[in-house]
Amino acid sequence: MTTEIHFEGRCVHPQAGETVLDALLRVGIDTPFSCKGGSCHTCMLHCTDGPIPEKAQRGLSERLRQLGYFLPCRCVTEHSLRIEPRQAKDMVTRCMLVEVDGHASGSLRIQFEPMTALDYRMGQSLRLVDGSAPEQEPLLMLTSDPATSPVAEARWVLQAGQTVPDSLAPSAEFGLEFEVRGPFNLDYQDLPEQRPAPPADPALWQALEDGRKARAILDAFYAKVYADTLLAPFFAGVTAERAASKQYNFLQQLMTGEKVYWGESPRNTHHWMVIPHSLFDHRQALMIETLREHGLDDGQIARWTRFEEYFRADIVKDHEWPKKIGDQIYSTEGFERETLLEATLCDQCGAEVSAGTEVLYHRRTGLISCPRCAGH
Ligand code: HEM
Ligand code: FES
């Protein structure tokens, strides 16, 4: 019996060993993905019918597992499935009001307790579920730090035309309930413009034996990264040597102020990588461990990581960004159809595809599907 994956009116047949995500992409279904290795959860889909392999739900919350969510990039199955994009309604958290004030100033301070786990960071935003379309729901900025405050706090700066629901009105009392969607990271549009580099620190570069120690640190660091199940998926297709060399030049330029790095800006390099704060923190913890193993003291570690922290806002995001060069925006998402000028091999089945054939081409990965693999 052939395996059938039903997705929004299309039926896809995965090949032996192929993940559900690769099968969808092979035929040109434009579904979101980033790491392709179970780390970022960008690809998460909802299964409405059929058995989901346990591995494909690893890392998801109990609630999402129960609802039938799974990671198609980790899902290899011989069973037929009926699947659909994630449902906005499922990404909602019910909350209980503790206190709300600030109505007179038009900037509400809302203190609340999420009734189920809400994994958020200060600076992320939520949308208040108020019956409007999800992208039009009021934006609440999270101002509390979940590590230190059990009660969450968010700011809602009232915009023209927005009305405050009864559950958050001046008269609202402790215990009233409301729902939020998210959390979300800063949106692309909200990002600060590219800022100048932080001040150089040539004394640190000198203390790193004019870079010799920095190179040893980076080699050891990337060995850890490539062995790490959360970070390694992003580096598929990039050698550790390339990653360490690029990073070396980048840090050398930052620390010495000399122009020795010719790669892309961190924002553009990482544009497709869905990296939450927690993953950035995890990378930094590995870096600090490595710096310590190489004998750097706390002061030197702070001076090194200051350069990396500076780029956090250019790297952390909850959805892929287009590239931005000057004022130009370049999207690398989705598929194009392209007529081959020269014969080539299909990236899916390896068969030769002759010149003049129309193939399916993914803008970011550059992988092509021949007409047979694309299901035409
Ligand atoms: C969780 C955090 C991070 C992940 C998953 C990540 C991932 C990656 C990957 C996969 C590449 C290789 C891209 C390629 O060669 O095609 C890369 C390159 C690079 N990353 Fe990161 N990175 C992270 C954090 C950082 C930080 C904190 C910095 C420094 C501020 C940084 C600076 C760079 C630079 C300079 C390159 C080379 C760019 C180029 O090839 O032109 N990354 N990163
Ligand atoms: S978890 Fe599937 S693409 Fe990252």
Side-chain angles (χ1 to χ4, degrees):
M1 207 180 69
T2 48
T3 307
E4 294 183 345
I5 306 292
H6 295 273
F7 183 85
E8 299 199 305
R10 289 189 67 178
C11 176
V12 183
H13 302 285
Q15 293 161 355
E18 189 180 38
T19 66
V20 169
L21 178 64
D22 281 337
L24 297 178
L25 294 175
R26 172 167 52 77
V27 302
I29 292 177
D30 194 9
T31 184
F33 68 97
S34 182
C35 74
K36 285 183 121 188
S39 171
C40 69
H41 298 187
T42 307
C43 65
M44 188 168 72
L45 294 175
H46 186 220
C47 177
T48 56
D49 193 19
I52 310 166
E54 186 261 324
K55 188 178 166 197
Q57 291 191 307
R58 227 173 267 165
L60 299 184
S61 71
E62 179 59 26
R63 189 178 74 90
L64 290 173
R65 287 206 298 264
Q66 292 292 336
L67 285 169
Y69 280 89
F70 73 107
L71 301 174
C73 72
R74 306 285 283 165
C75 184
V76 176
T77 180
E78 287 168 5
H79 296 281
S80 292
L81 302 177
R82 205 164 275 281
I83 61 178
E84 60 180 14
R86 59 175 84 183
Q87 304 294 295
K89 67 175 175 19
D90 294 336
M91 304 299 134
V92 158
T93 306
R94 218 169 164 69
C95 301
M96 202 168 72
L97 181 69
V98 173
E99 200 179 346
V100 56
D101 55 33
H103 296 83
S105 67
S107 170
L108 271 57
R109 189 175 64 108
I110 306 163
Q111 291 182 289
F112 62 98
E113 278 178 30
M115 293 166 74
T116 51
L118 179 68
D119 182 16
Y120 75 96
R121 299 261 318 200
M122 191 160 36
Q124 287 184 308
S125 61
L126 296 170
R127 288 197 177 269
L128 178 68
V129 177
D130 67 347
S132 43
E135 63 280 10
Q136 256 133 46
E137 290 166 346
L139 208 59
L140 314 181
M141 287 302 292
L142 283 155
T143 47
S144 49
D145 178 356
T148 53
S149 99
V151 172
E153 186 182 288
R155 286 251 162 215
W156 174 10
V157 180
L158 285 169
Q159 309 293 313
Q162 287 183 336
T163 45
V164 179
D166 291 348
S167 54
L168 296 175
S171 56
E173 286 171 10
F174 173 87
L176 282 181
E177 291 178 15
F178 59 95
E179 286 180 329
V180 292
R181 199 182 306 281
F184 306 98
N185 289 329
L186 275 176
D187 206 357
Y188 181 67
Q189 270 69 21
D190 305 330
L191 262 185
E193 274 308 301
Q194 202 84 51
R195 295 140 298 150
D201 188 352
L204 180 59
W205 191 252
Q206 224 170 26
L208 293 164
E209 299 165 12
D210 283 326
R212 267 189 306 281
K213 200 171 200 177
R215 181 66 211 212
I217 289 168
L218 290 172
D219 285 340
F221 170 69
Y222 281 105
K224 287 179 203 265
V225 166
Y226 278 69
D228 185 273
T229 52
L230 292 176
L231 291 166
F234 290 95
F235 289 84
V238 180
T239 62
E241 157 61 26
R242 179 189 147 98
S245 303
K246 288 270 185 181
Q247 197 69 14
Y248 177 87
N249 289 345
F250 183 69
L251 288 174
Q252 182 180 3
Q253 175 161 317
L254 289 172
M255 290 182 194
T256 63
E258 292 160 27
K259 177 84 190 138
V260 291
Y261 172 73
W262 300 100
E264 291 189 292
S265 67
R267 183 202 283 186
N268 280 346
T269 302
H270 303 89
H271 77 101
W272 59 270
M273 302 177 210
V274 175
I275 299 175
H277 282 289
S278 55
L279 185 63
F280 192 97
D281 291 344
H282 174 63
R283 180 216 190 254
Q284 290 313 96
L286 279 188
M287 180 53 95
I288 291 168
E289 184 184 283
T290 317
L291 294 171
R292 209 158 268 146
E293 282 163 5
H294 284 76
L296 270 68
D297 63 33
D298 286 350
Q300 291 171 321
I301 292 176
R303 282 157 69 193
W304 173 303
T305 52
R306 179 175 67 101
F307 289 109
E308 297 168 329
E309 278 299 335
Y310 182 80
F311 292 96
R312 183 184 281 264
D314 291 343
I315 292 176
V316 168
K317 54 195 150 329
D318 67 358
H319 60 276
E320 140 150 31
W321 291 334
K323 281 196 182 198
K324 192 174 178 201
I325 301 169
D327 287 338
Q328 294 287 318
I329 303 275
Y330 299 90
S331 175
T332 53
E333 266 318 89
F335 293 89
E336 271 177 32
R337 291 189 183 283
E338 203 179 70
T339 304
L340 289 179
L341 295 175
E342 286 173 26
T344 186
L345 298 181
C346 170
D347 288 311
Q348 314 293 343
C349 67
E352 184 166 330
V353 199
S354 53
T357 311
E358 193 185 75
V359 295
L360 195 65
Y361 162 82
H362 191 270
R363 288 201 192 101
R364 161 154 58 92
T365 61
L367 297 182
I368 64 160
S369 297
C370 69
R372 204 166 56 90
C373 284
H376 303 140

